[in-house]
């Protein structure tokens, strides 16, 4: 279980989580160790360009939504370097990044959900 798995568990439980992810795959949107705030999300509101906390093929990422397939209730997740991680269902999109180093991400707050608003927790 990685660090992002623990964050995902907390977000699934309804918590808004502040943490400092490491890595360079999201530069310049998120630099390594910058403080991010991730809140539970309503996956049906997610759009291309949003930064989400999602599980793709067994791994949890804090990456970009690069495509949306509303009919099949899924999104494509990619880093900010052009690498596509893959498609994942709405049930595996846990949270949305609402702020980076204190700067709000435009439109993200409108996509958050109240705890338990969509039924039981997702894993």
């Amino acid at each position: 279980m990685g660090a992002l798995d623990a964050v995902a568990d907390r977000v699934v439980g309804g918590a808004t989580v502040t943490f400092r992810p490491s890595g360079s795959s999201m530069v310049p949107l998120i630099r390594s160790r910058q403080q991010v705030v991730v809140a539970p999300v309503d996956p049906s509101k997610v759009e291309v360009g949003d930064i989400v906390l999602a599980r793709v093929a067994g791994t949890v990422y804090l990456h970009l939504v690069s495509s949306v397939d509303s009919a099949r209730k899924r999104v494509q997740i990619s880093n900010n370097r052009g690498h596509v991680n893959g498609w994942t269902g709405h049930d595996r999109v846990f949270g949305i990044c609402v702020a980076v180093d204190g700067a709000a991400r435009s439109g993200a707050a409108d996509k958050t959900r109240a705890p338990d608003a969509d039924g039981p927790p997702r894993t």
Side-chain angles (χ1 to χ4, degrees):
M1 178 183 225
L4 288 182
D5 289 290
V7 172
D9 287 345
R10 292 180 59 204
V11 173
V12 166
T16 295
V17 181
T18 301
F19 64 105
R20 293 180 182 274
S22 60
S24 61
S25 66
M26 289 297 291
V27 170
L29 299 173
I30 302 172
R31 297 186 191 299
S32 190
R33 305 299 296 153
Q34 276 188 305
Q35 181 177 287
V36 298
V37 179
V38 175
V41 69
D42 176 348
S44 67
K45 295 180 179 179
V46 169
E47 300 173 298
V48 170
D50 287 337
I51 299 172
V52 297
L53 184 68
R55 185 178 307 279
V56 181
T59 301
V60 177
Y61 297 95
L62 182 65
H63 277 177
L64 288 168
V65 173
S66 52
S67 187
V68 174
D69 181 351
S70 298
R72 295 177 71 181
K73 296 185 178 179
R74 65 185 189 152
V75 297
Q76 185 180 60
I77 304 298
S78 302
N79 68 21
N80 202 33
R81 301 278 188 221
H83 175 76
V84 175
N85 301 103
W87 289 93
T88 196
H90 283 182
D91 61 328
R92 292 187 190 93
V93 179
F94 309 122
I96 187 165
C97 179
V98 295
V100 178
D101 264 355
R105 295 265 312 151
S106 180
D110 297 332
K111 299 171 186 172
T112 61
R113 66 171 176 81
D116 299 320
D118 293 21
R122 298 169 285 146
T123 58

